[in-house]
Amino acid sequence: MSDLTVSFVQLALQWHDPEANRTELGRRISGISVPTDLIVLPEMFTTGFTMEAPAVAETMDGPTIAWMRQWAAERDAVVTGSIVVREGDSYYNRLLWVRPDGTLSYYNKRHLFRMGGETAVYTPGSERLIEEWRGWRICPLVCYDLRFPVWSRNPAQEPYDLLIYVANWPAARRTAWMTLLRARAIENLAYTVGVNCVGVDGNSLVYTGDSALIDMRGEYLVEVGNQETCITRTLRRTDLDSFRERFAAFLDADAFELHDLALQPKPRS
C-alpha cells in the first residue's frame, strides 16, 4: 500500500462571502508546492457557521461544487469540506467529496449543534460515508460529530485508515476539540485530522484554530495553533499497519449494531 499525502487549510472565513472565501482558499491551494492526494477545507467554508441557510444555500449544481471540481482536477486530488446545500424545502450542512474526475460523494452532517440553533434549520443525515481513495479507507465527518464516539467508531471488519473532522469549533470549547481529536485517533487506531477556522464570525464567536494531524497513537504529527495556514504532510502506510499488527485492540471491541448506520459509500454522480 502507498503512503497518502494530505493537505489542509486553516483560514479566517469571510462571513457570508462565498466568492471571497473561494478566492482565498484557491490561492492557498495553488500554493501547495508538492503533489498531494487530499485537500481538506473547514466546515461551511464558503460562509462561516451560519443559521441563515435561505440566504446562502447553494444547489448541487452551484458555483462551489464547480470550483471544487476545478481544483480537484488541477491538483489531481480529492477536495473535501462542507457547505450549505438546499434540496427542495430542506437545507443540509453537507460535506462534499469531490474527485479529480469530477465525480463526487457527500455526507450530510448527522449531529446538528442544537445549542447553536442548527437543529431548527438543517436536516440531519442518516448515513455515514467511508471512501476508498488511493488504497486508503477514509471517513469524513463534521464538527459536532466529534463528540459522539459511536458514530465515529471504526468497523473491525474493514477498518478505515484516516478519520477527518471539518469544523467551525469556537475557542470557548477548544479543550474539548483538542482532547476529543486525540481520543478518536486512539480508540479507532487511525490517523485523524481536524480542520478548524480562525478569527471572529458574524455572530461574534471567536475561533482559535488548533487544526491538527494526529497519528493512531494519539501523538501530534502537526498542530498549527491560531494562524492562517496551509499544511501538507505524508501519512506512512507502513507505520499504521505495523502499529495495528502489534496492538490490535479492535479485535477485543464490543459488538453491537446500529440499524441506521450505513457504511457504504454513496453512489458517484
Side-chain angles (χ1 to χ4, degrees):
M1 290 287 187
S2 60
D3 297 336
L4 188 79
T5 300
V6 178
S7 302
F8 64 85
V9 183
Q10 178 172 282
L11 197 66
L13 299 174
Q14 301 303 306
W15 188 248
H16 287 197
D17 195 340
E19 184 174 357
N21 288 314
R22 288 191 298 264
T23 297
E24 180 59 21
L25 286 165
R27 188 180 73 81
R28 300 280 178 165
I29 293 169
S30 68
I32 299 171
S33 59
V34 297
T36 190
D37 299 300
L38 175 61
I39 299 168
V40 187
L41 310 177
E43 179 185 23
M44 293 192 185
F45 66 83
T46 59
T47 60
F49 186 65
T50 180
M51 299 304 106
E52 298 178 48
V56 301
E58 297 186 28
T59 62
M60 290 295 284
D61 58 357
T64 296
I65 291 181
W67 177 89
M68 294 175 79
R69 284 181 164 133
Q70 171 195 334
W71 280 111
E74 184 166 327
R75 297 311 309 237
D76 189 31
V78 162
V79 177
T80 191
S82 91
I83 67 171
V84 180
V85 171
R86 181 182 70 252
E87 286 189 348
D89 295 328
S90 297
Y91 297 95
Y92 298 91
N93 183 346
R94 178 168 291 177
L95 179 139
L96 302 161
W97 182 271
V98 181
R99 306 176 191 88
D101 64 2
T103 61
L104 64 84
S105 300
Y106 63 83
Y107 161 71
N108 293 324
K109 185 179 181 182
R110 162 79 167 188
H111 297 95
L112 302 177
F113 188 59
R114 71 177 57 252
M115 285 72 78
E118 197 175 13
T119 51
V121 177
Y122 296 95
T123 299
S126 60
E127 296 183 346
R128 199 170 68 168
L129 179 68
I130 296 181
E131 279 290 325
E132 300 269 0
W133 181 240
R134 293 182 176 166
W136 289 64
R137 285 172 56 81
I138 303 170
C139 179
L141 299 172
V142 181
C143 202
Y144 193 42
D145 288 331
L146 177 62
R147 287 186 177 267
F148 302 95
V150 171
W151 191 245
S152 303
R153 184 170 177 173
N154 209 344
Q157 298 81 6
E158 292 185 278
Y160 58 70
D161 308 303
L162 172 62
L163 181 59
I164 296 171
Y165 295 96
V166 304
N168 274 210
W169 196 287
R173 293 181 290 279
R174 68 186 295 260
T175 298
W177 167 255
M178 299 170 74
T179 302
L180 293 173
L181 281 176
R182 296 185 75 185
R184 299 293 88 84
I186 292 167
E187 70 195 12
N188 291 301
L189 300 177
Y191 288 109
T192 300
V193 61
V195 181
N196 198 14
C197 60
V198 295
V200 182
D201 73 9
N203 294 315
S204 299
L205 291 174
V206 178
Y207 299 85
T208 52
D210 301 303
S211 297
L213 176 59
I214 300 167
D215 74 8
M216 49 283 172
R217 303 171 185 83
E219 301 293 337
Y220 282 107
L221 301 177
V222 178
E223 184 183 9
V224 301
N226 193 29
Q227 72 272 23
E228 293 186 297
T229 189
C230 180
I231 297 292
T232 299
R233 292 290 186 274
T234 297
L235 308 183
R236 304 298 179 188
R237 183 77 207 199
T238 55
D239 289 352
L240 177 64
D241 290 344
S242 62
F243 183 77
R244 284 176 167 175
E245 186 175 344
R246 297 192 311 271
F247 195 82
F250 53 85
L251 296 179
D252 299 312
D254 300 306
F256 63 90
E257 291 185 3
L258 290 178
H259 295 292
D260 63 351
L261 177 60
L263 302 182
Q264 299 303 316
K266 283 185 172 292
R268 298 185 178 193
S269 63

